[in-house]
């Protein structure tokens, strides 16, 4: 699976949009981009995933560049409860092992 | 969404003893479950892949004789840390494959070995 690069930390003001970037320049054609988050001392929570089109759900939006080498997770109106480590992971959909390999992620701190 | 539970949520044991952690998929069947370990201020590290009715597949560097994994049913996988030592103190997290594609994570188990 392709590796990802994320900034170690970001700050965001409460009520503002949080834009979390992820670079995955070695992504393969059959690999999806997944986002998970982990609130302190809890298990990871699935947020969203996509292949090449932009995706939106009740939690966030995922913007993938046309060359698929990078993506941005957007939390439209961040709240204090969104403070967490956000992980960007690429893997093949329904791959032989279905393993999720976590990188170091981005610690998003939402400030009041 | 699919729910995964872990028991216990935290455990303290003495050095040299063994401790068992359970991972259950509550509202779906999971032929595949995964076990992760997370040390403070670090990311999750995949330890092993657990398949129902067969032997677990361990990641490189993980001692299979120390971390025993049993996946005897479609809703339950267990991780036993044998002869635990203080360096095994960690946050252990399981995940279950709800269908062929999506994983759902348990809340984690905090293990402290004294």
């Amino acid at each position: 699976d392709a590796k990802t690069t994320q900034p170690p930390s970001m700050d965001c003001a409460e009520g503002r949009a949080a834009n979390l970037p992820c670079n995955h320049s070695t992504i393969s054609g059959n690999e999806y981009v997944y986002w998970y988050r982990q609130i302190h001392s809890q298990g990871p929570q699935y947020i969203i995933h996509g292949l090449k089109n932009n995706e939106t759900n009740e939690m966030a939006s995922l913007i993938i560049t046309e060359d698929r080498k990078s993506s941005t997770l957007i939390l439209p109106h961040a709240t204090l409860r969104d403070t967490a480590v956000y992980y960007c992971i690429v893997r093949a959909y329904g791959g032989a092992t279905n393993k999720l390999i976590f990188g170091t992620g981005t610690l998003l701190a939402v400030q009041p | 969404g699919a729910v995964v539970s872990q028991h216990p949520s935290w455990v303290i044991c003495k050095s040299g003893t063994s401790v068992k952690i359970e991972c259950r998929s509550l509202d779906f069947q999971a032929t595949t479950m995964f076990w992760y370990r997370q040390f403070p201020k670090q990311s999750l590290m995949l330890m092993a892949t657990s398949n129902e009715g067969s032997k677990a597949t361990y990641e490189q560097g993980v001692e299979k004789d120390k971390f025993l994994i049993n996946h005897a049913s479609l809703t339950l996988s267990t991780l036993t840390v044998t002869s635990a030592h203080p360096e095994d103190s960690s946050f252990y997290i399981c995940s279950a494959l709800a269908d062929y594609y999506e994983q759902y994570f348990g809340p984690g188990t905090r293990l402290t070995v004294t």
Side-chain angles (χ1 to χ4, degrees):
Chain A
D1 291 335
K3 292 186 176 180
T4 63
T5 304
Q6 299 178 252
S9 64
M10 293 182 63
D11 287 346
C12 176
E14 188 176 19
R16 297 282 193 161
N19 297 281
L20 293 93
C22 179
N23 286 321
H24 32 79
S25 58
T26 60
I27 191 170
S28 300
N30 65 337
E31 288 181 319
Y32 284 66
V33 180
Y34 284 78
W35 283 85
Y36 283 79
R37 73 179 182 183
Q38 185 180 26
I39 296 171
H40 183 62
S41 294
Q42 296 183 22
Q45 177 189 21
Y46 166 82
I47 301 173
I48 199 167
H49 76 279
L51 181 62
K52 56 182 179 181
N53 298 319
N54 298 336
E55 302 287 345
T56 296
N57 63 20
E58 64 277 6
M59 289 184 66
S61 294
L62 173 60
I63 309 298
I64 303 174
T65 58
E66 190 170 348
D67 63 6
R68 304 208 322 122
K69 293 185 177 181
S70 65
S71 61
T72 302
L73 179 74
I74 301 172
L75 308 179
H77 306 286
T79 70
L80 298 179
R81 289 178 294 179
D82 292 322
T83 292
V85 178
Y86 287 76
Y87 295 98
C88 169
I89 302 169
V90 294
R91 69 157 184 158
Y93 199 58
T97 62
N98 290 294
K99 293 191 293 188
L100 287 173
I101 305 300
F102 286 79
T104 54
T106 296
L107 174 59
L108 174 68
V110 180
Q111 309 290 345
Chain B
V3 179
V4 177
S5 70
Q6 285 184 239
H7 178 80
S9 55
W10 59 270
V11 57
I12 301 173
C13 70
K14 292 187 176 181
S15 185
T17 63
S18 297
V19 61
K20 180 185 287 187
I21 302 170
E22 295 183 348
C23 176
R24 293 182 185 273
S25 55
L26 298 185
D27 50 2
F28 65 97
Q29 294 184 329
T31 56
T32 303
M33 292 183 175
F34 301 89
W35 287 96
Y36 293 82
R37 179 168 57 179
Q38 186 175 34
F39 293 109
K41 299 188 184 300
Q42 294 186 23
S43 186
L44 285 79
M45 185 195 80
L46 179 65
M47 299 176 68
T49 301
S50 168
N51 292 297
E52 187 267 337
S54 63
K55 291 183 178 180
T57 302
Y58 291 82
E59 295 298 304
Q60 189 173 8
V62 178
E63 300 175 60
K64 62 180 181 181
D65 294 330
K66 181 170 184 63
F67 299 99
L68 301 179
I69 292 172
N70 184 281
H71 193 158
S73 78
L74 290 173
T75 59
L76 173 65
S77 175
T78 60
L79 169 68
T80 301
V81 183
T82 62
S83 186
H85 292 285
E87 56 265 33
D88 298 323
S89 298
S90 190
F91 191 49
Y92 292 86
I93 305 168
C94 72
S95 70
L97 205 58
D99 49 35
Y100 188 55
Y101 307 112
E102 302 306 335
Q103 287 188 40
Y104 295 89
F105 286 82
T109 296
R110 177 78 57 191
L111 170 64
T112 301
V113 184
T114 61

